[in-house]
Amino acid sequence: LDRVKAMTSSAPFPTTMLSLVRARAVRAASTSMKRSMSSSAPSGSNKRLVLAYSGGLDTSTQLRWLADKGYEVIAFTANLGQGGGIVEEDFSGIEEKALKSGAVKAYVLDLQEDFVKNYVFPIIRSNAIYESRYLLGTSLARPCISKAQVAIAKKEGCKYVSHGSTGKGNDQVRFELSTYALAAGLECVVPWRIPEFYNKFQGRQDLLAFAKERGIPIAMDAGNRPPYSMDDNMFHISFESGVLEDPAATPPESTHKYTTPLAKCKETHDDVQIWFEKGDPIKVKNLNTGEEASTPANILKFLNRIGGQHAIGRIDIVENRYVGIKSRGVYETPGGTILRAAHLDIEALTLDREVLRIRDMLSLKYSELVYNGFWFSPEMEFLQHSMDFTQRHVNGEVRLRLFRGNAIVLGRSSPNSLYNKDIVSMDVEGGFDVSHSEGFIRTQARRLQAYRNMAYPKGRDLPSV
C-alpha cells in the first residue's frame, strides 16, 4: 500500500480526483496483496490466464511457474514491428516455444498497423513528449498490447491476465491500469510482486537453473549477454539497467541498434518529403532515390531506416518514473524524431497562433497521461478529441534534409496555409497598414509603463555609458 501511495503522491490531479484514483488503486492493491500473501495458486474453477509473453527468459520462466501453480496459461505475443524495420524479428517459432514452456494455447498477433495508426500517430498529432525529451516509445506500446490481451481474455473466458514487468517500473502501472479500464471481472497476477516468486528467483542464474531443470526451451547464458536490458517496437528501442544504472557511465557502442554511431553515419545527405492529412503522415518519399512509402507501418519503417543511417533520434536521459524513482534510459527513435520535426513545421503553417499555444499547454498534460498509463482514461479521451480537432486543417507537405544527426527543414506548403506572402513582404504593401503598428505598440506598452511606475518609481538601473 505504501508503494501505491507513493506512486500516486505526485499525480497532477485535483484533490478530489486524486483521492478517487488513490482509493481505487489501494483497493486493487489490497485485493492483489491478500491473494498473493494467502496463496499464489488460483481458487475456483476458472484458472485460465493470458500472459503477455515475449519468449525471453523472464516470461518463459513465469509461464512455467504459473502453470505449476495451477493456471491454464494462454501465451500472447504482440508483433509491434520489433526491429523497427531495420531488422525483422522472427516470430515463427514462438508458439511452439510457449507450448513447450507450459502454455495450453498461444496467440501471436500482428498489431503493426494498429500500433502505428492508433497509438504512434496520435502521439505525433499531439506533439507529445515527456519531460521535453522522451517520445514515449515504450509508454504507448503498453495500451496497444493490453487491449489485445484483454480481447483474448474475453474470447477465452479467462479471469486473469499477467505480464512480466517488475515491481519497480512504470510498465506494471501501464498494463494494469489499461486492463482495469478496458474490462470488468479481470484480475492481474504479477509474479514479480509475489513473494514466493521473487524470493525464489533473485537473479538471472536462478531463472536459468529453473529453465534447465524444467526443460524450458531458452538459450542458456553463453557469457556474451548484453550488460543492459532492451525493449523495442517499431517506434523505438530502449536500453536500461545493468551498466547504464550509473548515470555517469558512457553507453556501450552496442546500444546502437536503430541508429548508426555519429562517427560512422552516412557522409552524404538524404532529402525526404512527407505529406500530411489532418495531422497524420500519409506518404513519404526519398527525393534522392525516388523510394516511397504510404501505409502507416511502412512510413515509420522507411523513416527508421533512413533516419538511423544519419544517427537521428538518439537520446540519453534521466527521467522521473511515475512510481517515484529516477531512472536512466538510452532511447533510439529515428522515424519518430523526423515525423515530429515535420509535423511541428506543417503546424506552424496551418494552425492559428492561439490554438497552437493552447495545444502546446495540453500536450504537456497529454504526455504525462501517456507516460503514467492513463491511455484509456476519460481525461485522455477529452484531450485526444481536443487534439484531433486542432488537426482538421493540418494538411500539406514538408521537405527535410537528413544529415549527421539532424533533420533540417528545407521548405513546406499547404492548401490550408495561414501564411500570406504579400502581407509579410518587405517589398509589397499587401493590405497591411504599417501606420497601425504605432497604436498597437503603445497599447501593449501601457501595462509595462504602469508596472515601471509602481515598481521602479525612480527608474530602472541602467548601465553606465
Side-chain angles (χ1 to χ4, degrees):
L1 299 183
D2 288 340
R3 289 200 300 272
V4 174
K5 292 173 184 176
M7 181 182 75
T8 59
S9 63
S10 60
F13 301 125
T15 302
T16 53
M17 186 179 295
L18 178 56
S19 298
L20 286 172
V21 171
R22 278 182 172 169
R24 290 171 182 168
V26 169
R27 284 199 299 272
S30 178
T31 300
S32 176
M33 288 176 69
K34 288 176 182 176
R35 182 177 61 248
S36 63
M37 290 174 67
S38 61
S39 172
S40 58
S43 59
S45 59
N46 186 344
K47 300 180 181 181
R48 292 172 70 79
L49 174 150
V50 182
L51 170 67
Y53 176 71
S54 69
L57 176 61
D58 281 26
T59 54
S60 294
T61 303
Q62 289 168 21
L63 195 165
R64 180 68 265 170
W65 187 85
L66 288 165
D68 289 347
K69 295 301 176 183
Y71 291 94
E72 297 177 20
V73 182
I74 298 169
F76 158 54
T77 303
N79 178 358
L80 300 181
Q82 288 87 331
I86 296 154
V87 296
E88 298 289 344
E89 184 163 329
D90 183 9
F91 291 94
S92 60
I94 201 163
E95 286 187 55
E96 182 182 357
K97 185 175 184 179
L99 295 173
K100 287 182 177 179
S101 298
V104 297
K105 195 171 184 178
Y107 285 79
V108 180
L109 299 185
D110 187 342
L111 303 178
Q112 294 181 81
E113 292 293 341
D114 174 55
F115 175 56
V116 180
K117 180 180 178 181
N118 296 315
Y119 298 88
V120 173
F121 281 3
I123 291 286
I124 300 299
R125 291 198 302 271
S126 305
N127 290 325
I129 189 166
Y130 182 70
E131 294 185 342
S132 302
R133 294 189 287 177
Y134 175 43
L135 288 174
L136 299 161
T138 299
S139 311
L140 58 86
R142 301 324 185 209
C144 179
I145 295 170
S146 292
K147 198 169 188 179
Q149 184 179 21
V150 169
I152 293 171
K154 288 296 184 183
K155 177 182 177 182
E156 294 289 342
C158 297
K159 184 179 178 181
Y160 304 97
V161 296
S162 184
H163 58 80
S165 304
T166 70
K168 288 186 177 181
N170 293 311
D171 282 341
Q172 58 177 336
V173 182
R174 296 165 181 155
F175 277 122
E176 292 170 51
L177 288 181
S178 294
T179 297
Y180 294 134
L182 287 167
L186 286 175
E187 293 290 340
C188 296
V189 177
V190 186
W192 283 118
R193 294 205 305 259
I194 298 174
E196 183 182 353
F197 184 87
Y198 65 69
N199 287 328
K200 179 180 178 66
F201 302 107
Q202 304 210 1
R204 182 174 174 83
Q205 292 307 313
D206 292 336
L207 296 169
L208 286 168
F210 181 78
K212 184 176 182 180
E213 174 192 336
R214 301 309 308 276
I216 298 171
I218 196 78
M220 294 295 112
D221 204 341
N224 59 351
R225 177 174 175 260
Y228 44 75
S229 65
M230 294 182 290
D231 181 80
D232 67 325
N233 55 56
M234 198 189 307
F235 192 53
H236 94 152
I237 186 168
S238 67
F239 306 89
E240 294 180 325
S241 304
V243 297
L244 299 176
E245 289 176 353
D246 178 0
T250 300
E253 189 163 306
S254 58
T255 58
H256 286 270
K257 300 295 185 183
Y258 284 15
T259 68
T260 302
L262 194 59
K264 299 179 181 179
C265 66
K266 286 185 66 173
E267 296 183 359
T268 56
H269 67 263
D270 281 291
D271 292 344
V272 297
Q273 189 172 16
I274 304 174
W275 285 263
F276 289 89
E277 185 176 286
K278 295 184 178 180
D280 281 342
I282 58 170
K283 181 181 175 182
V284 60
K285 182 177 182 179
N286 185 332
L287 298 177
N288 296 39
T289 66
E291 183 184 1
E292 297 182 358
S294 57
T295 66
N298 285 337
I299 287 172
L300 186 54
K301 289 179 179 180
F302 177 98
L303 290 174
N304 278 339
R305 288 192 294 270
I306 194 170
Q309 292 170 359
H310 291 283
I312 291 171
R314 180 179 171 87
I315 61 171
D316 180 345
I317 65 172
V318 173
E319 68 196 66
N320 290 294
R321 288 181 179 174
Y322 190 33
V323 294
I325 302 172
K326 284 188 181 291
S327 66
R328 189 264 190 100
V330 176
Y331 302 108
E332 294 184 325
T333 319
T337 301
I338 297 168
L339 286 175
R340 176 178 168 79
H343 182 259
L344 284 169
D345 198 75
I346 196 66
E347 277 193 327
L349 196 64
T350 56
L351 276 192
D352 173 78
R353 181 187 70 181
E354 296 306 314
V355 171
L356 185 64
R357 290 176 179 176
I358 294 171
R359 194 288 316 282
D360 283 347
M361 290 189 289
L362 294 178
S363 289
L364 179 62
K365 184 63 180 178
Y366 184 104
S367 304
E368 291 176 357
L369 291 175
V370 175
Y371 186 85
N372 293 341
F374 289 90
W375 186 276
F376 298 111
S377 66
E379 60 269 33
M380 187 65 176
E381 284 188 11
F382 163 73
L383 283 178
Q384 192 64 69
H385 283 300
S386 300
M387 295 296 187
D388 292 345
F389 187 83
T390 70
Q391 301 295 296
R392 292 169 301 150
H393 306 304
V394 181
N395 307 307
E397 56 82 29
V398 180
R399 285 168 289 114
L400 305 98
R401 175 157 294 169
L402 311 180
F403 189 58
R404 292 200 174 277
N406 296 294
I408 305 163
V409 173
L410 301 177
R412 77 290 289 164
S413 65
S414 170
N416 304 107
S417 175
L418 296 175
Y419 183 94
N420 188 314
K421 182 181 177 182
D422 289 340
I423 288 180
V424 79
S425 175
M426 294 295 184
D427 300 317
V428 180
E429 193 269 333
F432 187 93
D433 189 341
V434 295
S435 66
H436 293 166
S437 294
E438 181 177 357
F440 173 78
I441 294 168
R442 288 186 178 277
T443 299
Q444 296 299 317
R446 286 192 183 280
R447 68 182 183 87
L448 305 181
Q449 293 168 330
Y451 176 73
R452 180 203 64 202
N453 292 337
M454 180 276 293
Y456 304 96
K458 295 181 180 181
R460 290 180 181 266
D461 294 336
L462 299 174
S464 299
V465 294

